[in-house]
Amino acid sequence: MEILRNIPKSEVLHLGDLVAYADGQVVSKTLVQNNGLGLTLFAFAKDEGISTHESKGDAMVVALDGKGRITIDGKDYELAAGDTIVMPANHPHAVYGLEPFKMLLVVAFPENEKL
């Protein structure tokens, strides 16, 4: 059973190249989605975002390109390529592209938690 999908194997990659920007859109590419782990690449066009929501798992954002804003519990954090932040489980958070912004989202779900 293939767990990691939508990504070449045994090849050196630049993660940001695996998801493309699209004007006026948020583009996502799922690499892993199961009961314990989610890995998703995102490309946010400038001024596009994901509205405030909560996750049942801790969510780590790794900025790959551009500049974005992460809001956690109403507090804003700016990220640029190379920056990382963890959005704790069960806390409201949102993501916004201050300019075109790419990120890897890693969500670790508690044992026995359903997606």
Side-chain angles (χ1 to χ4, degrees):
M1 180 175 137
E2 185 176 64
I3 294 174
L4 194 60
R5 58 183 186 204
N6 296 322
I7 187 169
K9 292 162 181 82
S10 301
E11 182 178 326
V12 176
L13 304 166
H14 182 67
L15 283 177
D17 292 343
L18 298 179
V19 62
Y21 291 115
D23 288 340
Q25 295 183 36
V26 176
V27 178
S28 67
K29 180 182 271 192
T30 301
L31 304 178
V32 174
Q33 191 69 55
N34 60 43
N35 284 343
L37 179 68
L39 291 177
T40 308
L41 291 168
F42 285 91
F44 294 82
K46 183 180 189 303
D47 298 326
E48 294 297 326
I50 299 173
S51 61
T52 302
H53 63 284
E54 294 182 16
S55 172
K56 293 181 180 183
D58 289 329
M60 184 176 76
V61 170
V62 179
L64 303 172
D65 184 50
K67 200 174 279 188
R69 181 177 63 229
I70 307 295
T71 304
I72 304 169
D73 291 325
K75 183 174 179 184
D76 291 339
Y77 303 87
E78 256 187 50
L79 275 73
D83 293 338
T84 300
I85 193 166
V86 174
M87 302 178 295
N90 304 309
H91 287 255
H93 57 268
V95 182
Y96 180 80
L98 296 169
E99 59 185 51
F101 176 61
K102 290 183 182 181
M103 66 180 224
L104 171 66
L105 178 67
V106 180
V107 184
F109 296 98
E111 194 171 324
N112 299 321
E113 187 64 53
K114 297 291 183 196
L115 298 177

